[in-house]
Amino acid sequence: MKKIVRRLLSVALLTVFFYLCLAWVITHVSLYGIRLSVWMSTQFQLKGGVEYLLGSQRENNTHYDVVVIGSSHAYRGYDPREFENQGFSMYNFGTHLQNPLASYLVLTDVVHPDKKNLVVFDIYDDVFQRNGIGSYTRLIENVKEDSTARKFVYADPDIRLINSYTCRLFSKNATVEIARDPNYIKNGYYSRSDTAHAALPNKFYEPIFIPEYFDYVLKTIEYCQRNAIPIVLVSHPQPINDANLRFHDAFLKEFIPKISGTGIHYLDYQKDRSFKSNEDFMDAGHLNQTGVTKFNKLLIKDLLDLKMLEVSSVSPSDNLTK
Amino acid sequence: MLFNSFEFLIFFPVVTALYFLLPHSYRWALLLLASCVFYMFFIPSYILILFVTIIIDYFAGKWIEDSTGKKRKHFLWFSIISTCMVLFVFKYFNFFISNFNEVASLIGWNYSINALSIILPIGLSFHTFQSLSYVIEVYRGNQKAERHFGIYSLYVMFYPQLVAGPIERPQNILHQFYEKHTVQYENFSRGLQLMVWGLFKKVVIADNLAGIVSSIYAQPEGVSWYWLLLGSYFFAVQIYCDFSGYSDMAIGAARVMGFRLMENFNTPYFSKSIQEFWSRWHISLSSWFRDYVYIPLGGNRGGNLAKNRNQLIVFAISGLWHGANWTYVVWGILHGFYLVIEGLLKKTQWYISYLQSKKWIVNLIGMLIIFNLVTFGWIFFRANSIDDAFKIIKGIFTLQSGKVAYPGELGRFNAVGMAIKIAIAVAFLFVDPLIHKITRTKDIPYLNSFLRMCLYAILAATIILLGFWGDVEFIYFQF
């Protein structure tokens, strides 16, 4: 028995040693400017992209009237230029499949404390049923602080997140591996002008929402209320079809009772029939520039009506990051 | 519960520790309870189906042994029919109905039967065949009927091999449940080595290739011929690593507790003939069909025609065993034809010389030919439909050019990424025989215990760091 325990411990120690060696090798050997880790496994993410932009924001002390958090619906759906036209500065902190847990951590750890005048929390129902690993690994790779990256590992302990964090530690000085996206406009916003012409999927799947994500919406609201930061929940328009409507109804059935006691406004544009799938969307769920312009005008008007936004006394051009 | 899950990481050491801590007389109960828990992680209520087959075959075994004359045969057939009926209802009924409805509509008969809305119980074909081997062996007098209901239940439900084999024979495993196993270094060491190697094959090789294969096979008309070819070769590696990986983990998990399960794979892609391939691939199933179907059908007796017919029947049934889809049946029949042709070639002197040849170049060419023939068969096995399988074959042979540069998940990779995947897959095929030998041989002169520990530590580190940790079930679970 002693021999078994001794050998098991030896193998465990050797495993840790070889794990670190292997992590060092795959993060230090690059082929065509991309680390071997990324070539070898889909769990490792490229350095760069929308998460990298976000990662460098905490050091930027610029004040914004509005910050947006949420998934790709956020970074493709809220145009800072539209807010500027109305006299408000805005930065978009949306990232790929950013679920409420990630949104909470982005808001509390990545967004600079002085930046939070109004938080627009984009609520996309589909992310409430998506595993967040892909999103977290991208953020772990790209956020500025190790402490923030560690929070993503603690938030959802998973071997892939531990691996991502290990590789992050070994490749802090890695160069950006994603070429600048031609669709990037400014302040975290990406735009597409093409239109979804193909038939959009219309098949309904019974959703299985992750209860923890609803809790993180509440935690985000509590955080804002505790720090006297106004927050508004927004669901942006979706193509109108039977599957989307049923899915959203199933979501609202769970979501509305959760937030009803918070006193927070929830602006739901998802069933707005003025948005046409063959004009205002680039694909099955994201608005194109035409749709974004239309939606943002509507949103800003509603925020002004609700007095969530008030005409700024400061010129936006004084604040904006170019 | 999956072997490559966090739950199993807790379950396995706890069950193993309790097994050795408990007095011998309670161990069967612990293993049975653990097996129930293991199975109920999938769909808990389906354990009742398992109990139905256990009860039928337990009593059938007793009745066969206790009776004489024709009654024994009646009890045997009662057992076979009722056990197969469970398999038919859950696995083949909907397949049968959809074919029936299609034929009915072809002949203008305006009548259709509704399909059942049921999910196939996991590993049903495996434990059904294990149950059947018990009653057949009792009938043949090779095995005494098991009187202890708990031990018999454990024979069917023993968790390491419950959902994907190896399909054990009662003579090999039943007596082991009565043996008193003690903690032995050799068993621990061999068992854990097998588990690590099996897990490596599953999560590092098979699961990392699975996404690429799925992307390619999802759109056989949209991708270029080289993707189709690559997807087919990758699937050959994927299915081998997936299934043999599971078998290694099953054999290893049992070995840690002192149980010896039969070998299921023996580096099959290094075979020089199709017959040799089937003696090294899914050995427990091949030998099951040989003993309980092929030989009772007449086997090699009755001339070449009868032998060929028997081979084709056995492989068609074997195909159907794998799944209720014509793709599996065609795959099985194709292998049947391979064997028939090989049987004809064996009558020629040059083929006999080839089989006996010791020249490495001859062996290498032979292995490459067999590997390619088997890979060709996998196209039918993996394709979503017969139609898709023919599209893939046509696409490869007509050098189809596709519109999609990097289909599906491949979008992330360019030529460099794919070259790395190909290199890993090829390297694995050559490393596999070496590790296969190391995990099964006690003394290898050039591998002292420290180097052996390093080897398994490297494998473990690679599993943790480069394993695919998403949700990918074992391919053979569906059978």
Side-chain angles (χ1 to χ4, degrees):
Chain A
M1 191 65 193
K2 270 185 187 169
K3 190 179 175 187
I4 291 172
V5 174
R6 211 171 51 234
R7 286 289 168 92
L8 279 175
L9 283 175
S10 307
V11 173
L13 284 174
L14 283 168
T15 301
V16 173
F17 171 73
F18 285 118
Y19 173 85
L20 295 173
C21 290
L22 190 58
W24 189 90
V25 170
I26 63 173
T27 49
H28 280 76
V29 176
S30 291
L31 286 170
Y32 296 89
I34 293 175
R35 287 161 297 162
L36 199 54
S37 56
V38 180
W39 291 123
M40 292 190 79
S41 171
T42 49
Q43 71 183 303
F44 298 112
Q45 305 293 337
L46 293 159
K47 193 170 219 101
V50 58
E51 288 79 10
Y52 186 74
L53 278 172
L54 174 146
S56 59
Q57 277 304 305
R58 195 177 169 87
E59 284 176 358
N60 175 356
N61 203 16
T62 315
H63 165 89
Y64 295 106
D65 297 321
V66 180
V67 293
V68 178
I69 51 173
S71 66
S72 56
H73 279 216
Y75 72 75
R76 290 190 186 283
Y78 300 81
D79 185 346
R81 295 169 304 180
E82 288 302 320
F83 284 77
E84 282 170 34
N85 289 342
Q86 303 283 335
F88 304 104
S89 58
M90 186 271 253
Y91 198 94
N92 201 319
F93 286 90
T95 55
H96 289 290
L97 279 175
Q98 187 188 97
N99 61 37
L101 188 159
S103 293
Y104 174 75
L105 290 176
V106 164
L107 187 68
T108 54
D109 263 288
V110 181
V111 182
H112 193 281
D114 295 342
K115 285 182 186 172
K116 301 160 188 168
N117 260 25
L118 170 65
V119 174
V120 172
F121 190 173
D122 182 80
I123 302 292
Y124 173 37
D125 46 21
D126 192 42
V127 297
F128 281 73
Q129 59 165 4
R130 299 279 195 100
N131 175 319
I133 301 296
S135 167
Y136 307 153
T137 48
R138 283 168 187 258
L139 287 161
I140 287 171
E141 180 62 54
N142 286 294
V143 290
K144 200 80 180 169
E145 306 290 335
D146 285 343
S147 58
T148 309
R150 270 199 303 277
K151 283 186 181 170
F152 284 103
V153 180
Y154 297 146
D156 188 2
D158 183 284
I159 198 163
R160 286 164 286 186
L161 301 185
I162 297 166
N163 289 337
S164 290
Y165 184 71
T166 309
C167 285
R168 172 197 163 90
L169 294 180
F170 279 121
S171 54
K172 278 186 174 173
N173 299 324
T175 49
V176 173
E177 292 156 320
I178 298 178
R180 191 180 171 86
D181 190 323
N183 297 312
Y184 181 64
I185 305 296
K186 65 185 292 189
N187 289 17
Y189 172 65
Y190 287 73
S191 166
R192 286 264 295 267
S193 54
D194 50 330
T195 306
H197 290 296
L200 298 175
N202 187 15
K203 192 169 181 184
F204 175 71
Y205 295 96
E206 204 63 57
I208 304 170
F209 297 118
I210 299 168
E212 193 191 11
Y213 292 167
F214 292 105
D215 298 339
Y216 271 97
V217 173
L218 295 179
K219 279 182 91 166
T220 307
I221 292 170
E222 277 167 25
Y223 168 83
C224 287
Q225 289 178 333
R226 204 170 49 244
N227 293 286
I229 304 163
I231 178 170
V232 60
L233 311 181
V234 180
S235 286
H236 93 11
Q238 283 278 296
I240 301 290
N241 62 36
D242 182 52
N244 280 351
L245 292 174
R246 283 180 68 191
F247 190 88
H248 194 56
D249 283 341
F251 171 75
L252 292 178
K253 206 173 154 189
E254 291 197 38
F255 186 63
I256 296 296
K258 300 260 185 208
I259 59 159
S260 60
T262 59
I264 295 297
H265 290 293
Y266 173 40
L267 306 179
D268 186 1
Y269 301 94
Q270 200 150 326
K271 293 179 181 176
D272 191 326
R273 290 182 183 271
S274 64
F275 291 86
K276 307 290 179 207
S277 60
N278 58 353
E279 291 172 10
D280 299 316
F281 293 89
M282 55 166 267
D283 60 18
H286 299 99
L287 292 163
N288 59 19
Q289 188 58 53
T290 311
V292 169
T293 306
K294 208 158 122 184
F295 162 57
N296 284 189
K297 282 193 164 70
L298 196 62
L299 175 67
I300 294 167
K301 181 184 170 297
D302 287 346
L303 291 174
L304 286 167
D305 289 348
L306 287 168
K307 306 222 182 305
M308 304 284 298
L309 275 179
E310 294 191 28
V311 178
S312 177
S313 55
V314 185
S315 163
S317 56
D318 297 338
N319 299 326
L320 296 178
T321 314
K322 299 294 177 190
Chain B
M1 194 183 299
L2 297 172
F3 281 161
N4 55 332
S5 66
F6 180 73
E7 292 83 8
F8 189 73
L9 196 65
I10 307 290
F11 173 90
F12 176 68
V14 169
V15 171
T16 306
L18 287 174
Y19 179 77
F20 287 117
L21 288 172
L22 277 178
H24 176 61
S25 54
Y26 295 110
R27 285 179 177 177
W28 69 267
L30 169 78
L31 286 182
L32 187 57
L33 180 70
S35 301
C36 291
V37 171
F38 183 87
Y39 192 78
M40 288 168 77
F41 258 77
F42 300 108
I43 300 178
S45 58
Y46 274 13
I47 200 160
L48 298 173
I49 301 162
L50 204 51
F51 276 125
V52 169
T53 56
I54 286 172
I55 289 167
I56 291 169
D57 294 326
Y58 169 74
F59 284 105
K62 272 187 14 170
W63 293 335
I64 289 167
E65 193 171 73
D66 294 344
S67 51
T68 52
K70 278 193 170 177
K71 265 191 168 179
R72 299 179 77 245
K73 204 166 210 167
H74 292 157
F75 286 130
L76 174 69
W77 279 108
F78 160 75
S79 162
I80 292 174
I81 291 168
S82 42
T83 307
C84 289
M85 193 56 80
V86 175
L87 188 63
F88 177 79
V89 170
F90 281 93
K91 187 163 179 174
Y92 299 107
F93 183 77
N94 286 347
F95 175 63
F96 174 77
I97 290 304
S98 71
N99 283 287
F100 174 84
N101 289 342
E102 265 186 43
V103 172
S105 74
L106 274 178
I107 59 172
W109 191 23
N110 194 16
Y111 184 79
S112 75
I113 303 172
N114 291 333
L116 294 175
S117 177
I118 46 174
I119 300 168
L120 178 68
I122 208 151
L124 182 65
S125 305
F126 286 94
H127 49 77
T128 299
F129 270 36
Q130 184 146 322
S131 286
L132 288 177
S133 78
Y134 166 77
V135 281
I136 296 168
E137 291 300 335
V138 171
Y139 175 77
R140 288 176 176 176
N142 297 332
Q143 172 68 41
K144 277 190 155 305
E146 178 54 56
R147 304 280 158 169
H148 190 306
F149 183 71
I151 297 283
Y152 175 72
S153 304
L154 191 53
Y155 161 73
V156 180
M157 292 192 64
F158 187 40
Y159 83 81
Q161 37 95 250
L162 171 60
V163 289
I167 304 167
E168 274 296 345
R169 303 303 171 81
Q171 300 96 311
N172 181 40
I173 189 82
L174 261 173
H175 68 91
Q176 295 190 50
F177 295 122
Y178 288 100
E179 288 167 9
K180 188 175 179 182
H181 299 119
T182 52
V183 181
Q184 283 185 12
Y185 174 76
E186 181 65 16
N187 285 337
F188 253 83
S189 165
R190 288 276 159 263
L192 290 178
Q193 285 174 16
L194 273 169
M195 290 177 82
V196 169
W197 180 231
L199 192 59
F200 178 89
K201 285 196 274 189
K202 167 67 180 160
V203 301
V204 178
I205 308 290
D207 291 352
N208 275 317
L209 295 178
I212 299 171
V213 174
S214 295
S215 300
I216 294 167
Y217 269 65
Q219 41 185 335
E221 282 176 307
V223 296
S224 298
W225 67 274
Y226 48 86
W227 284 121
L228 296 171
L229 194 63
L230 190 66
S232 303
Y233 283 123
F234 273 2
F235 181 67
V237 179
Q238 183 202 342
I239 192 167
Y240 169 65
C241 290
D242 191 284
F243 192 23
S244 73
Y246 184 90
S247 289
D248 283 350
M249 281 186 268
I251 295 166
R255 179 75 187 266
V256 168
M257 291 184 286
F259 294 92
R260 302 280 187 133
L261 300 182
M262 68 185 293
E263 284 290 344
N264 221 11
F265 289 87
N266 181 15
T267 57
Y269 289 147
F270 288 81
S271 304
K272 274 173 73 180
S273 68
I274 291 291
Q275 192 179 24
E276 188 187 349
F277 173 81
W278 279 106
S279 67
R280 298 164 73 158
W281 176 277
H282 203 175
I283 299 165
S284 63
L285 181 73
S286 311
S287 57
W288 196 100
F289 274 111
R290 182 196 63 211
D291 295 346
Y292 303 128
V293 183
Y294 182 68
I295 292 171
L297 277 173
N300 296 344
R301 290 159 298 169
N304 278 332
L305 207 62
K307 181 187 163 189
N308 293 342
R309 178 203 64 201
N310 295 341
Q311 278 178 337
L312 286 171
I313 291 171
V314 165
F315 274 91
I317 299 172
S318 166
L320 200 58
W321 177 89
H322 282 84
N325 193 322
W326 287 111
T327 51
Y328 297 114
V329 179
V330 171
W331 168 79
I333 292 172
L334 180 69
H335 273 272
F337 273 114
Y338 284 164
L339 281 171
V340 168
I341 294 164
E342 198 168 272
L344 294 173
L345 288 174
K346 273 182 183 166
K347 293 187 191 311
T348 61
Q349 190 53 47
W350 73 266
Y351 196 75
I352 294 167
S353 311
Y354 155 73
L355 287 178
Q356 290 169 347
S357 174
K358 297 263 188 276
K359 287 181 182 166
W360 71 268
I361 186 74
V362 175
N363 291 344
L364 180 67
I365 291 168
M367 286 170 194
L368 281 174
I369 291 170
I370 296 302
F371 177 65
N372 279 288
L373 286 173
V374 171
T375 302
F376 181 76
W378 290 134
I379 293 175
F380 288 96
F381 193 94
R382 176 60 182 82
N384 298 323
S385 65
I386 294 281
D387 193 34
D388 271 11
F390 282 112
K391 279 178 191 166
I392 290 163
I393 293 164
K394 189 182 161 203
I396 292 171
F397 285 101
T398 59
L399 305 183
Q400 168 180 299
S401 108
K403 290 174 190 158
V404 191
Y406 291 101
E409 206 169 280
L410 309 180
R412 190 167 188 266
F413 300 105
N414 60 16
V416 182
M418 289 316 295
I420 290 170
K421 297 271 175 199
I422 294 166
I424 291 170
V426 172
F428 166 78
L429 284 176
F430 287 95
V431 169
D432 180 46
L434 179 68
I435 309 271
H436 183 87
K437 192 177 172 191
I438 291 170
T439 48
R440 285 156 179 85
T441 315
K442 191 179 173 184
D443 297 312
I444 295 180
Y446 50 83
L447 203 67
N448 64 29
S449 64
F450 179 72
L451 285 179
R452 196 187 277 266
M453 280 198 298
C454 286
L455 171 69
Y456 285 95
I458 290 169
L459 288 177
T462 313
I463 289 168
I464 296 166
L465 194 61
L466 295 175
F468 184 91
W469 294 106
D471 296 325
V472 184
E473 281 203 345
F474 289 88
I475 295 173
Y476 266 67
F477 274 18
Q478 61 186 301
F479 309 137

